[in-house]
Amino acid sequence: MTGAPTRQLWQRLEPERWPLPLEALPADAALVGGAVRDGLLDRLGPKPDLDLVVSGDAIALCRALARRHGGSAVVLDAERCMARLVIRGWSLDLARQEGASLEADLGRRDYTVNAIALPLRPGAALVDPSGGLEHLRQRRLVAVSEANLLADPLRLLRGVRLAAQLGFGLDPSSEAWIRRHHGRLPEVAPERVLAELEKLAAAPLGHRGLAQAVATGLLGPWSAAAAGPAASGDLALLERLGPERVAAAGLTEAEAAEALPLARLAALFDAEALERLRSSRKLQQRAGRLRSWRQRLEEGQPEEVSAVIAALPEAERLQLQRQLEADLPALLLAWPAGLAQAWLGRWRDPDDRLFHPRPPLDGRRLQQACGLAPSPLLGELMERLLLEQAFGRVHGAEAALRWARHWLECRPEAGGRTPRRD
């Protein structure tokens, strides 16, 4: 495995930029995993995670490196002798070699494209015992072995995620193993499953990967799309959440990075499923609200969304904007392009008081100006003012005060009298 691939990989890795010199590492250290794979594919980020294998005590080495070069040493797995050095924005994972040789260590890994190593000693060639270089060339994801997948069942889902992330085809034999053993995934800690799903949802072809995960049975214990009458609708929505929808809706790269993963996850998982996956409460709420409004607005064909929205009472329209103020682009991804772009334009305007509802007056000023005590009446008045401002019938604080006084005077329940504070 000598020659051009090795030289090209060194050039792309730019070891002179690493946060510590190569001379600080043991002579038998080897770079493995994602950095090697992504370097060969020319898709390295500015500070890639570096996974290193050493023959000695990786935890002791990590602590020694932290003392000499700075950074923090974190023990990841004491039993397997794995630690992480976090230094100047970089992350270096060090692990003790498993087996009698580097080849033996690589033979225990999940997929062949992750089972390529670059020894860091000068002049060393790539080590590729399972044909990962050829599979990279073929853009094919191949499991090292069935037993290796079962050694950590999360690897079943990781295969689907890697295929979507890299744009690779999943090897038929590997896919068959995933289908055969999909029931093993619930053995994995829910937090680890969720982390893989979030990476999958963020991949450019994540919509296809998630659909494949459903088809292989991997998501059965959690996904609303795995069974039931809503399954076909959820999967149909998921199919629309590809990169082309980002372009059609007019989202920027930053907006898409936030909206697309949420839109995809919410297509498959309700709040209860995300709770079983031990997600944050915030993610459960965001996905739950998004699913609820999708069901409310998108029951018919996508082209009918505009008519459904037009029929909403003003209070419900305001509630939509309040609940999805931060996540509106995730809702727009499945809408017709013209409507999505129009709404996105208004959402980007921070002064649009329908898309970014803000009270025209705070409660204290209303109490002082109108002689109101804290009460349900005050809360109702503030809600009505919010609605009037959102739909352009009140502009500015003084107009809001005039409207508030008029509303209080005209309330039949008040008998024409404004309630006073004690």
Side-chain angles (χ1 to χ4, degrees), residues 15-38:
E16 65 276 6
R17 295 180 52 249
W18 292 6
L20 47 79
L22 293 179
E23 296 76 21
L25 299 169
D28 64 358
L31 185 68
V32 298
V36 175
R37 178 197 68 219
D38 290 347

Side-chain angles (χ1 to χ4, degrees), residues 61-383:
L61 172 62
C62 186
R63 288 170 173 162
L65 291 172
R67 287 193 301 268
R68 295 169 191 161
H69 300 278
S72 301
V74 181
V75 176
L76 300 177
D77 188 330
E79 184 177 346
R80 297 174 61 195
C81 198
M82 300 172 62
R84 174 172 297 161
L85 177 64
V86 181
I87 175 171
R88 294 194 285 278
W90 292 71
S91 179
L92 283 76
D93 284 3
L94 297 106
R96 183 174 58 201
Q97 177 182 290
E98 294 190 36
S101 65
L102 180 57
E103 288 81 358
D105 182 283
L106 295 172
R108 299 182 181 188
R109 295 180 179 268
D110 50 9
Y111 295 89
T112 61
V113 297
N114 291 337
I116 308 169
L118 176 66
L120 298 184
R121 63 182 182 273
L126 287 167
V127 180
D128 178 25
S130 56
L133 281 170
E134 178 61 18
H135 296 151
L136 283 176
R137 188 187 66 79
Q138 297 171 353
R139 302 187 67 78
R140 189 159 58 99
L141 193 71
V142 183
V144 173
S145 72
E146 184 176 13
N148 284 14
L149 295 183
L150 297 181
D152 179 2
L154 185 65
R155 292 171 170 180
L156 301 167
L157 178 58
R158 185 176 298 149
V160 175
R161 189 261 295 176
L162 282 171
Q165 202 169 47
L166 301 173
F168 281 18
L170 187 56
D171 175 68
S173 296
S174 303
E175 184 175 3
W177 290 336
I178 292 171
R179 288 179 180 274
R180 182 182 306 161
H181 300 294
H182 70 269
R184 297 283 302 275
L185 188 59
E187 299 173 11
V188 178
E191 296 89 344
R192 296 182 68 211
V193 175
L194 178 63
E196 281 292 332
L197 288 171
E198 289 180 319
K199 292 177 184 177
L200 176 53
L205 299 179
H207 60 311
R208 296 180 186 172
L210 286 167
Q212 188 172 32
V214 172
T216 55
L218 287 167
L219 303 187
W222 305 284
S223 174
S232 60
D234 288 342
L235 290 173
L237 169 63
L238 186 63
E239 289 177 2
R240 301 203 300 272
L241 297 176
E244 65 282 352
R245 291 300 309 162
V246 172
L251 270 65
T252 66
E253 184 177 346
E255 290 165 350
E258 183 75 15
L260 195 55
L262 175 63
R264 289 167 172 173
L265 287 174
L268 297 184
F269 304 103
D270 57 24
E272 291 182 3
L274 289 170
E275 183 178 14
R276 293 196 300 274
L277 286 166
R278 308 282 176 84
S279 82
S280 67
R281 182 67 177 159
K282 182 178 179 181
L283 178 57
Q284 294 170 34
Q285 292 171 341
R286 293 171 70 201
R289 289 192 294 261
L290 184 55
R291 284 182 66 88
S292 176
W293 279 108
R294 277 176 174 169
Q295 292 167 3
R296 175 77 172 83
L297 302 176
E298 300 172 10
E299 291 179 352
Q301 297 299 316
E303 294 75 15
E304 299 173 4
V305 170
S306 183
V308 174
I309 293 170
L312 285 178
E314 285 186 351
E316 286 191 45
R317 174 67 189 279
L318 179 60
Q319 187 72 356
L320 162 63
Q321 304 298 347
R322 293 172 80 175
Q323 291 189 357
L324 295 184
E325 181 181 3
D327 292 322
L328 190 67
L331 179 70
L332 304 182
L333 279 167
W335 288 12
L339 181 60
Q341 291 173 10
W343 275 48
L344 190 62
R346 292 191 62 179
W347 178 79
R348 287 173 175 156
D349 179 1
D351 295 323
D352 190 310
R353 283 295 165 253
L354 176 57
F355 282 71
H356 300 284
R358 298 289 184 275
L361 297 166
D362 62 33
R364 182 180 297 276
R365 185 172 180 188
L366 269 178
Q367 290 178 57
Q368 293 172 345
C370 298
L372 288 172
S375 64
L377 177 62
L378 176 63
E380 181 184 356
L381 175 56
M382 292 190 69
E383 285 294 311

